[in-house]
Amino acid sequence: MTIHAGPEFSREHARSDDATVARLLLEEAKDYVGTGAKATAVYHWEYSQPTNPHDEPFVYVEGPPPLVFCGDAYAGPKVEGAVTSGLAAAGKLLESAPRP
Ligand SMILES: Cc1cc2nc3c(=O)[nH]c(=O)nc-3n(C[C@H](O)[C@H](O)[C@H](O)COP(=O)(O)OP(=O)(O)OC[C@H]3O[C@@H](n4cnc5c(N)ncnc54)[C@H](O)[C@@H]3O)c2cc1C
């Protein structure tokens, strides 16, 4: 059984110890899962969601060398957004690469 905490709870308990986090989450979920958990494991994903998403698929900074910023903060905060952004950024790099 996996319980995902939301952004508010996660921010509030980013530095709380695992036992406290497990106890609080199980308490919240007890109406759905009961109270019989025998073992727990807590994972903290520190950068799980972009907090300041951009509308553009990437940001390009003229070089040399050129810099391209891309990822799930640019084209939607999911795997699909990360892939779309990465492909767009790669296209931009190829387009701006010097031709032999
Ligand atoms: C628990 C969880 C569940 C999720 N479930 C889903 C789901 O079901 N469906 C979905 O679509 N999305 C899901 N996501 C979101 C999805 O994982 C992300 O949107 C996606 O992985 C973002 O890809 P990315 O390449 O932009 O960034 P990341 O995958 O975060 O890649 C960034 C990389 O940069 C590296 N890095 C960071 N800092 C540095 C540095 N200073 N120097 C060198 N390397 C560095 C990191 O180690 C990492 O490898 C989930 C995320 C989490 C945390």
Side-chain angles (χ1 to χ4, degrees), residues 71-96:
D72 65 349
Y74 293 89
K78 298 273 176 201
V79 166
E80 187 185 349
V83 170
T84 306
S85 172
L87 287 171
K92 176 69 182 176
L93 274 180
L94 286 172
E95 179 194 301
S96 56

Side-chain angles (χ1 to χ4, degrees), residues 34-97:
T35 54
K38 291 190 172 27
T40 58
V42 174
Y43 296 91
H44 297 259
W45 280 281
E46 221 167 316
Y47 305 109
S48 65
Q49 277 182 356
T51 50
N52 297 307
H54 298 258
D55 290 334
E56 314 83 2
F58 61 86
V59 167
Y60 179 81
V61 182
E62 292 281 351
L67 285 176
V68 184
F69 297 88
C70 60
D72 65 349
Y74 293 89
K78 298 273 176 201
V79 166
E80 187 185 349
V83 170
T84 306
S85 172
L87 287 171
K92 176 69 182 176
L93 274 180
L94 286 172
E95 179 194 301
S96 56

